[in-house]
Amino acid sequence: RDDMSELSIQRSEESRSEVRSVVQRAHEVKHESRSKKRLEAQSRRRKMDLSEYTEEVSEKENKTLINLCKSGKISVDQLKRLSKALTMKNYCEQFLHEDGCLHALVGLI
């Protein structure tokens, strides 16, 4: 009897563990879904197009954005593109080595 009760306890614990893992996966999926919906809602309210952050910035566009930033005549959309450009190491280094860029950006903010 002791062996049978131990076996049933062991099976019970295994089934609880399986249920916990299924519930945990369901919570993770729900959390990811909520996060995605929240980002989409925030983007709509801010009137942001998520494609602005997925398109690559060309070398020519990067130079233009740097010059606009230095002059202080950069628009909000261009600032978004500049932030995209600054995620790439070579564009970021180029931005930092240009005289007055960082100072102008801080001044805008």
Side-chain angles (χ1 to χ4, degrees), residues 13-39:
E13 289 176 4
E14 287 175 0
S15 66
R16 286 183 191 150
S17 175
E18 290 173 4
V19 168
R20 284 186 188 129
S21 68
V22 168
V23 169
Q24 183 178 4
R25 275 182 278 171
H27 285 300
E28 289 172 0
V29 168
K30 190 178 250 184
H31 176 71
E32 290 173 9
S33 174
R34 285 181 180 167
S35 295
K36 184 178 177 183
K37 287 180 182 177
R38 185 179 323 112
L39 177 62

Side-chain angles (χ1 to χ4, degrees), residues 92-109:
C92 187
E93 289 174 351
Q94 185 180 357
F95 181 82
L96 290 174
H97 293 309
E98 283 286 326
D99 288 335
C101 277
L102 192 58
H103 187 271
L105 182 61
V106 170
L108 288 170
I109 295 173

Side-chain angles (χ1 to χ4, degrees), residues 51-58 61 81 84 87-88 91:
S51 67
E52 293 173 354
Y53 297 103
T54 58
E55 297 173 5
E56 293 296 320
V57 178
S58 68
E61 183 182 9
R81 293 297 290 163
K84 172 64 178 172
T87 61
M88 295 186 286
Y91 290 164

Side-chain angles (χ1 to χ4, degrees), residues 54-79:
T54 58
E55 297 173 5
E56 293 296 320
V57 178
S58 68
E59 181 73 31
K60 183 178 179 181
E61 183 182 9
N62 185 52
K63 288 180 182 178
T64 302
L65 292 170
I66 287 174
N67 289 332
L68 287 169
C69 185
K70 283 196 305 188
S71 70
K73 298 178 181 179
I74 191 165
S75 70
V76 173
D77 290 332
Q78 290 166 332
L79 274 172

